[in-house]
Amino acid sequence: TNKKLPDPVNNEDNSVPTPTPTPIPQDYTVIANDVLENRPLDTIKEKYTNTFNFNGPSYTGEPANDKTCTQVNPSPEDHQAALKVLNFLRNLAGLSDNVVENSEWSTDCQDTALIIHKIGKVPSNHVIIPEFIPKTCTQGSEFIQTAVKTAALSNLAANDVSCYQSMYRFILDEGENNRYVVGHRRSLLKPNLEKVGMGFYPVVNEPTGTANVFNQMPAVTVLRSIDEQAKNTDELPSNIKFVSWPSAGPFPIDQLPSTWTISYSGFNEKNLANIDELNIYITRDDGTPIPFTAKLSRDIETKDTLSLYLDPSALELCQDMRTITVRVVNDKQKYCLQYSFLLFGNKNQVDICLY
């Protein structure tokens, strides 16, 4: 069985893997995403290369200064590239890849990015306090209230260079504040996601009145994915049993996060009392065990998520062209959820024959 260690911060259990997983008994049900694991490497790698290649402008126009609160023009190319990234990564996870941009949402996101930029700090709690908005922003109360609402419904990022960059960084979802929770990723990998809105405002160094001294007003990305009118469902496509990140099959090593997630109906409160019922293993193709800590994340929108955190030394074991296998065993319910992914980088693969 796995060794359980208490988490002194969150008062929850962590799991540390045993050196080698035990064989799966024949009467256990194996839960896997075979259709994802069987995808060809060359096909996924080509799509990845064709998706992660944007280097165009993220806006046009003159940004605001210390005396103005003017909007810039969003870049359609940036938005298209960001949407392409989202749909590619959702396809990797086995989810629908036809998410579209909602123009009304994007207008609201762009205006919200301007307001947060002028405040000078991206709020970690997604709350815009109107009293902090400078008096140079005279767009009116309705404009401000729309920004307040949009911020509460959106992913927010500081000091990225484009919507394109923010999109994949939201799904990476790094940082101690996001560890285990990874709410940005979970909102973008919802099975029923159909539309998003996005806006970006660039960084500006505003003069202070003192020579060579400036206030840096941050670049801001606002990405809305929450639809208040959408049906609340976690129904998966018929060809997958769970949503994992990293996903099964070929997976780009540049997108490998430190917190891995598995959303599965068997992990919700109705079907699983606590993490003690699970034996969890991560192993490399040569049998090397990869250490991690585990936690059930049952908050926000997806209430059935198992989160696995790998520290930097553990991530170093996950190398280009190595296959990593994750196995979650529930002896009480006699099932084994497992999947493997092959990490690939940007180098060309060379096949050789040895005689």
Side-chain angles (χ1 to χ4, degrees):
T1 60
N2 284 359
K3 183 180 179 182
K4 305 293 183 180
L5 297 177
D7 181 347
V9 176
N10 296 288
N11 197 29
E12 294 188 23
D13 283 344
N14 291 338
S15 297
V16 178
T18 52
T20 56
T22 57
I24 304 170
Q26 291 186 351
D27 61 339
Y28 279 39
T29 300
V30 177
I31 302 165
N33 285 335
D34 293 333
V35 67
L36 303 185
E37 294 202 29
N38 294 330
R39 292 180 297 187
L41 171 61
D42 289 345
T43 301
I44 298 298
K45 190 171 184 178
E46 181 180 5
K47 289 181 179 179
Y48 176 70
T49 302
N50 291 335
T51 299
F52 283 75
N53 58 5
F54 178 70
N55 58 4
S58 54
Y59 72 97
T60 58
E62 186 69 26
N65 55 40
D66 59 317
K67 296 180 176 61
T68 62
C69 188
T70 52
Q71 187 59 273
V72 296
N73 302 311
S75 163
E77 296 82 7
D78 179 34
H79 285 211
Q80 291 167 9
L83 197 61
K84 188 176 180 181
V85 165
L86 174 61
N87 281 316
F88 170 80
L89 296 178
R90 284 178 58 84
N91 179 270
L92 270 190
L95 299 170
S96 62
D97 58 359
N98 55 357
V99 178
V100 299
E101 181 180 6
N102 181 288
S103 59
E104 182 178 341
W105 282 11
S106 286
T107 296
D108 293 342
C109 288
Q110 187 65 40
D111 292 339
T112 303
L114 165 63
I115 293 301
I116 294 175
H117 165 85
K118 292 301 295 183
I119 291 174
K121 183 179 181 180
V122 174
S124 59
N125 61 359
H126 298 248
V127 176
I128 291 178
I129 300 176
E131 289 75 17
F132 291 173
I133 300 172
K135 297 187 183 303
T136 53
C137 297
T138 58
Q139 288 88 342
S141 60
E142 184 176 348
F143 182 96
I144 299 303
Q145 288 307 311
T146 297
V148 169
K149 177 183 177 181
T150 301
L153 295 172
S154 302
N155 292 338
L156 308 177
N159 293 324
D160 288 340
V161 299
S162 61
C163 291
Y164 161 79
Q165 183 185 60
S166 292
M167 186 66 78
Y168 64 79
R169 293 185 66 173
F170 278 135
I171 293 181
L172 278 168
D173 221 356
E174 296 298 332
E176 287 190 34
N177 290 338
N178 298 320
R179 189 173 298 170
Y180 299 108
V181 178
V182 288
H184 304 105
R185 179 194 307 159
R186 288 160 68 183
S187 70
L188 293 171
L189 295 184
K190 289 187 302 184
N192 65 335
L193 184 65
E194 295 180 351
K195 60 184 178 180
V196 295
M198 63 190 87
F200 171 79
Y201 206 91
V203 65
V204 174
N205 292 320
E206 291 188 352
T208 62
T210 303
N212 300 320
V213 178
F214 301 89
N215 286 325
Q216 186 175 84
M217 310 305 283
V220 178
T221 308
V222 179
L223 174 62
R224 177 177 174 180
S225 62
I226 296 176
D227 186 353
E228 296 172 299
Q229 308 303 319
K231 181 181 178 181
N232 186 17
T233 176
D234 291 325
E235 184 176 348
L236 297 177
S238 59
N239 61 343
I240 62 172
K241 306 294 180 58
F242 54 88
V243 178
S244 69
W245 200 258
S247 52
F251 191 87
I253 195 168
D254 288 346
Q255 302 305 314
L256 185 68
S258 59
T259 295
W260 302 1
T261 47
I262 308 169
S263 295
Y264 171 58
S265 59
F267 297 155
N268 62 32
E269 291 182 349
K270 177 182 177 181
N271 296 315
L272 184 69
N274 55 63
I275 201 171
D276 290 330
E277 296 182 9
L278 303 177
N279 293 323
I280 309 165
Y281 311 89
I282 304 179
T283 51
R284 202 168 64 181
D285 49 23
D286 60 355
T288 300
I290 298 177
F292 62 93
T293 54
K295 185 174 295 182
L296 287 171
S297 300
R298 290 166 164 171
D299 50 2
I300 64 175
E301 293 186 59
T302 52
K303 303 182 186 301
D304 57 3
T305 299
L306 175 67
S307 298
L308 311 173
Y309 170 69
L310 283 69
D311 67 19
S313 61
L315 284 174
E316 287 179 1
L317 299 172
C318 303
Q319 299 159 350
D320 191 0
M321 298 309 296
R322 302 308 296 253
T323 296
I324 311 298
T325 297
V326 178
R327 178 181 292 184
V328 183
V329 181
N330 188 318
D331 291 319
K332 183 179 179 180
Q333 300 182 34
K334 292 188 175 183
Y335 73 75
C336 173
L337 182 152
Q338 71 174 27
Y339 66 98
S340 298
F341 55 91
L342 170 64
L343 293 167
F344 67 85
N346 295 321
K347 297 179 180 178
N348 292 325
Q349 181 178 345
V350 178
D351 297 324
I352 61 174
C353 293
L354 299 178
Y355 295 94

